């Protein structure tokens, strides 16, 4: 039932007049990048938590997440290492479905993952139409190397902001750098502004 009603959202980034950001090249398939080889996370004790500066702290299991209304997002994927992949189909839950209940009260967010990875962004981006918690990719359950069980997708930013194995959203009054941002990647990360590395 849910499947038949699934809304398809074409990411606005696919419709830009300059679809391919500067310095990028189209390739066929995603290249997996991980900070650790230990990425085998099970769904039984999976929990996604929303905490910090929010009105209503919230946590949700994998099974509960699957029951929320789902959408399909079609979006290009731009990696800071100069490759891009066209039209990936992600299926999952729009993050704002959850955030409208959580009600963050601040500007910044640090995203946490099961592998210890973190990445920072602005709270407002998480409310975009095409930002989802994805559990399917191109019609299949998310492969382990691409973020099983759940991955955040933020099409408008470089791929390192799309955290795999995502397990937490920490809302913060002040900006806090994530794993790669601390190691020289750009704080903001807009591919169309060539925001690859901090100056
Ligand atoms: N949890 C987690 N998410 C992550 C990473 C990681 O190491 N751990 N790597 C990031 C980086 S640097 C990139 S370029 C993309 C790569 O996505 P892919 O592995 O699906 O190709 O995932 C991002 N998300
Ligand atoms: Mo990356």
């Amino acid at each position: 039932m849910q499947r038949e009603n699934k809304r398809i959202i074409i990411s606005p980034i696919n419709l830009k007049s300059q679809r391919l950001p500067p310095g990028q090249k189209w390739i066929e398939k995603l290249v997996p990048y991980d900070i650790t080889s230990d990425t085998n996370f099970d769904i039984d004790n999976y929990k996604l938590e929303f905490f910090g500066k929010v009105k209503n702290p919230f946590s949700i299991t994998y099974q509960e997440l699957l029951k929320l209304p789902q959408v399909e997002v079609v979006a290009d994927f731009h990696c800071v290492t100069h490759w891009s992949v066209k039209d990936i189909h992600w299926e999952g839950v729009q993050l704002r479905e959850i955030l409208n209940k959580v009600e963050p009260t601040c500007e910044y967010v640090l995203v946490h993952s099961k592998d210890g990875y973190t990445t920072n962004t602005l709270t407002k981006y998480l409310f975009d139409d095409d930002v989802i918690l994805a559990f399917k990719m191109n019609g299949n359950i998310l492969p382990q190397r691409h973020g099983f069980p759940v991955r955040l997708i933020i099409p408008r930013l470089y791929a390192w902001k799309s955290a795999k194995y995502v397990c937490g959203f920490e809302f913060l009054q002040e900006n806090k750098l994530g794993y790669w941002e601390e190691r020289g990647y750009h704080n903001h990360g807009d591919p169309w502004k060539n925001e690859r590395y901090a100056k």
Side-chain angles (χ1 to χ4, degrees), residues 7 9 50 65 68-73 91-100 126-135 152-153:
R7 189 155 68 88
I9 297 163
F50 298 81
L65 194 63
L68 296 182
Q70 296 178 20
V71 296
E72 180 169 337
V73 167
E91 289 166 65
V93 172
Q94 261 180 332
L95 190 49
R96 69 163 180 237
E97 283 268 341
I98 297 175
L99 292 183
N100 284 337
L126 303 186
F127 285 85
D128 283 352
D129 216 30
D130 59 351
V131 168
I132 65 166
L133 295 164
F135 32 75
L152 171 66
I153 297 298

Side-chain angles (χ1 to χ4, degrees), residues 40-157:
N40 188 9
F41 306 110
D42 64 45
I43 51 175
D44 294 335
N45 48 41
Y46 175 81
K47 233 190 203 171
L48 178 59
E49 301 189 87
F50 298 81
F51 59 102
K53 298 267 173 221
V54 298
K55 283 202 184 143
N56 310 300
F58 179 70
S59 94
I60 188 166
T61 66
Y62 182 70
Q63 301 304 341
E64 289 166 341
L65 194 63
L66 296 185
K67 290 188 196 133
L68 296 182
Q70 296 178 20
V71 296
E72 180 169 337
V73 167
V74 183
D76 299 339
F77 193 81
H78 303 295
C79 179
V80 70
T81 60
H82 301 275
W83 55 262
S84 297
V85 177
K86 264 187 196 163
D87 288 334
I88 308 208
H89 289 243
W90 305 101
E91 289 166 65
V93 172
Q94 261 180 332
L95 190 49
R96 69 163 180 237
E97 283 268 341
I98 297 175
L99 292 183
N100 284 337
K101 294 178 196 135
V102 170
E103 295 189 65
T105 56
C106 56
E107 210 177 325
Y108 304 100
V109 60
L110 187 66
V111 185
H112 295 261
S113 295
K114 284 276 207 185
D115 58 347
Y117 185 78
T118 52
T119 188
N120 61 298
T121 191
L122 296 173
T123 303
K124 66 178 180 193
Y125 290 159
L126 303 186
F127 285 85
D128 283 352
D129 216 30
D130 59 351
V131 168
I132 65 166
L133 295 164
F135 32 75
K136 277 188 160 190
M137 174 186 170
N138 293 334
N140 301 308
I141 294 292
L142 202 56
Q144 186 187 326
R145 65 183 177 285
H146 294 303
F148 181 85
V150 180
R151 175 177 206 163
L152 171 66
I153 297 298
I154 310 183
R156 68 185 292 155
L157 300 174

Side-chain angles (χ1 to χ4, degrees), residues 31-35 79 113 115 117 146 151 159 162 164-165 180:
V31 183
Y33 286 124
D34 279 294
I35 57 165
C79 179
S113 295
D115 58 347
Y117 185 78
H146 294 303
R151 175 177 206 163
S162 287
K164 306 191 276 190
Y165 332 107
W180 282 122

